[in-house]
């Protein structure tokens, strides 16, 4: 296992982290025996960064991890979990949730505590409610060691958040197709330039870069002199960036874990040759050629006066057509664009008012208005609102279950402190 240093803290973290969002399941629940074996085996092979969150597995991931890290495993790793902004209405909620998380994880400190999935809007809410003071206090009294945030907004919001607090780490989506999406390469170098550790999620774009490889892309990997699986090409490309600290992989198959551990023994920064980088570039170009909208995610076209999130519309639209995952895309569309949860107003393609300003600035000269009509045809049928309602319901149930767990823990604590 290779390790990289977080400049700001001097801590050495394993370049492969274990994400506990997609643990193996059995009959709809975490397969505890198998998942425990996997987590412990990864730690035995050098992984020292384990990531979870209150919302994962509908509130079951943290209690599972608390049990899995018994027998001395907790002391061997850096434990990361997250504060869910959707469950915070007041400053006191932050202390209450952290207290419950410490209990569920059976520990007296969280090493890396992140605000979960924030963008510009939810950060403003958390800042107004006192998140900076809460994090300072939790660090001072030892409940957390370091603070960070996970992010799903645009680059401007990312830089604003990085500059707004003395963070030690951030967690961003990054892979060879998302160089210009969300925080992207610009965000990666910005945060690393401030000495922050940068943890990467979705290095395989939710598995799409390894599971459903189009024939034309597979041919590029097959022609390369060096033989690697599509997953290995994608992981090595991310680790090739010296600014990357840890790559999180939601690993739930034994063979995937073994493959990732093997690559993490060898993936030094800047170790890919120019020829190898050219091969990845070819794959990127081929993917882009297969995409229906040749959008690079540069975001020159936003904000749109009608509120359409143009690059996000195209990202989901392309994902559905390149990877053939229409069902996932139909859920993602209302989830990302329907104004669900903290994200605020809807940003659907059909909101376009045809002012034409986006087409004037698009460096790819895309017929944005016509493409948005196609997006709306694909995703805004009779089922869109129903899916949005279902997603809202699912989020509500997840929050409720996590909230109920937190309350149970609180009640047990107050019972034991009285007796
Ligand atoms: S043409 Fe439509 S999508 Fe483009 S900026 Fe105007 S309203 Fe927004
Ligand atoms: S300006 Fe064009 S390429 Fe850039 S994000 Fe907008 S649609 Fe995509």
């Amino acid at each position: 296992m290779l390790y990289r240093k977080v400049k700001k803290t001097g801590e050495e973290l394993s370049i492969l982290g274990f994400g506990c969002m997609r643990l193996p399941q059995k009959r709809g629940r975490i397969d505890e025996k198998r998942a425990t074996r996997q987590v412990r085996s990864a730690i035995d092979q050098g992984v020292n960064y384990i990531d979870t969150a209150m919302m994962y597995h509908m509130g079951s991931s943290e209690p599972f991890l608390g049990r899995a890290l018994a027998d001395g495993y907790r002391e061997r790793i850096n434990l990361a979990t997250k504060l869910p902004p959707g469950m915070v209405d007041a400053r006191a909620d932050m202390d209450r949730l952290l207290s419950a998380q410490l209990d569920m994880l059976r520990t007296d400190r969280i090493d890396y505590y992140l605000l979960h999935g924030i963008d510009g809007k939810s950060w403003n809410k958390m800042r107004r409610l006192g998140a900076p003071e809460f994090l300072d206090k939790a660090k001072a009294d030892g409940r957390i060691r370091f603070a960070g945030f996970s992010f799903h907004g645009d680059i401007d919001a990312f830089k604003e958040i990085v500059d707004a607090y003395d963070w030690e780490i951030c967690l961003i989506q990054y892979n060879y197709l998302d160089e210009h999406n969300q925080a992207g390469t610009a965000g990666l170098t910005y945060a690393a330039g401030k000495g922050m550790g940068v943890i990467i999620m979705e290095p395989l774009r939710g598995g799409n870069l390894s599971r459903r490889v189009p024939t034309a892309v597979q041919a590029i990997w097959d022609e390369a002199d060096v033989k690697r699986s599509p997953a290995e090409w994608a992981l090595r490309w991310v680790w090739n960036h010296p600014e990357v600290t840890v790559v999180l992989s939601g690993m739930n198959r034994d063979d995937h874990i073994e493959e990732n551990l093997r690559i993490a023994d060898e993936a030094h920064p800047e170790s890919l040759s120019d020829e190898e980088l050219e091969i990845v570039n070819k794959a990127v170009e081929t993917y882009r050629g297969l995409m229906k909208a040749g959008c690079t995610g540069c975001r020159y076209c936003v904000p749109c006066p009608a509120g359409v999130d143009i690059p996000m519309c195209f990202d989901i639209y392309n994902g559905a057509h390149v990877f053939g995952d229409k069902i996932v895309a139909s859920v993602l569309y209302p989830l990302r664009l329907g104004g669900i949860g903290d994200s605020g107003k809807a940003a659907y393609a059909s909101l376009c008012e045809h002012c034409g300003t986006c087409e004037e600035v698009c460096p790819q000269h895309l017929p944005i208005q016509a493409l948005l009509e196609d997006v709306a045809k694909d995703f805004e049928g009779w089922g869109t609102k129903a899916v949005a309602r279902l997603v809202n319901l699912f989020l509500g149930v997840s929050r409720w279950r996590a909230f109920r767990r937190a309350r149970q823990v609180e009640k047990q604590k107050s019972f034991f402190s009285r007796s």
Side-chain angles (χ1 to χ4, degrees), residues 295-301 310-311 314 362-364 366 368:
C295 172
T296 59
C298 68
R299 298 190 74 83
Y300 289 152
C301 55
I310 302 164
F314 292 158
C362 176
Q364 308 302 320
L366 297 179
I368 295 176

Side-chain angles (χ1 to χ4, degrees), residues 190-335:
Y190 191 76
K194 306 247 168 188
M196 291 168 65
V198 184
I199 318 295
I200 303 299
M201 58 181 152
E202 305 293 4
L204 306 179
R205 246 191 177 221
N208 276 322
L209 299 183
S210 59
R211 263 187 289 128
R212 293 167 190 223
V213 183
T215 315
V217 176
Q218 187 59 50
I220 293 167
W221 304 138
D222 291 343
E223 278 165 21
D225 289 340
V226 48
K227 296 302 167 208
R228 292 178 179 142
S229 69
E232 179 163 357
W233 278 107
L235 288 170
R236 279 186 183 264
W237 181 88
V238 177
W239 274 318
N240 200 52
H241 296 77
E243 300 89 354
V244 167
T245 313
V246 175
V247 173
L248 282 180
S249 188
M251 309 178 282
N252 57 24
R253 272 180 46 179
D254 294 356
D255 55 337
H256 289 172
I257 297 174
E258 289 313 314
E259 181 185 31
N260 292 351
L261 284 164
R262 177 185 58 73
I263 306 165
D265 275 348
E266 306 161 2
H268 292 275
E270 293 175 339
S271 57
L272 292 184
S273 66
D274 289 348
E275 291 73 29
E276 289 170 316
L277 288 172
E278 194 43 48
I279 290 167
V280 179
N281 281 342
K282 258 192 184 171
V284 172
E285 278 165 25
T286 307
Y287 269 118
R288 296 226 181 279
L290 294 169
M291 289 172 179
K292 286 208 156 194
C295 172
T296 59
C298 68
R299 298 190 74 83
Y300 289 152
C301 55
V302 287
C304 145
V308 181
D309 189 337
I310 302 164
M312 183 60 77
C313 285
F314 292 158
D315 186 42
I316 296 171
Y317 182 59
N318 283 330
H321 288 279
V322 175
F323 302 113
D325 220 340
K326 291 226 167 127
I327 296 172
V328 172
S330 307
V331 175
L332 269 182
Y333 191 77
L335 181 67

Side-chain angles (χ1 to χ4, degrees), residues 44-148:
D44 289 338
Q45 293 180 72
V47 168
N48 74 359
Y49 188 92
I50 310 278
D51 171 89
T52 183
M54 191 169 235
M55 304 295 281
Y56 293 171
H57 285 276
M58 297 185 88
S60 300
S61 179
E62 286 180 332
F64 153 75
L65 198 54
R67 294 186 288 277
L69 293 177
D71 304 325
Y73 280 87
R74 166 67 188 96
E75 286 68 42
R76 294 165 59 184
I77 55 112
N78 292 283
L79 181 56
T81 193
K82 312 185 189 81
L83 176 70
M87 291 172 70
V88 174
D89 295 316
R91 161 70 199 275
D93 292 336
M94 302 180 203
D95 289 300
R96 190 174 57 73
L97 288 163
L98 173 55
S99 169
Q101 288 175 296
L102 288 166
D103 279 21
M104 287 188 279
L105 286 160
R106 303 183 182 199
T107 186
D108 57 3
R109 67 169 202 293
I110 307 293
D111 298 297
Y112 290 90
Y113 197 57
L114 293 84
L115 305 189
H116 195 167
I118 56 172
D119 57 12
K121 191 175 161 72
S122 50
W123 164 243
N124 284 335
K125 170 192 149 185
M126 292 301 282
R127 182 152 65 170
R128 189 171 33 82
L129 293 176
E133 297 76 24
F134 158 73
L135 294 170
D136 283 346
K137 173 99 181 23
K139 275 192 213 173
D141 61 28
R143 287 174 293 163
I144 68 171
R145 289 206 301 137
F146 304 116

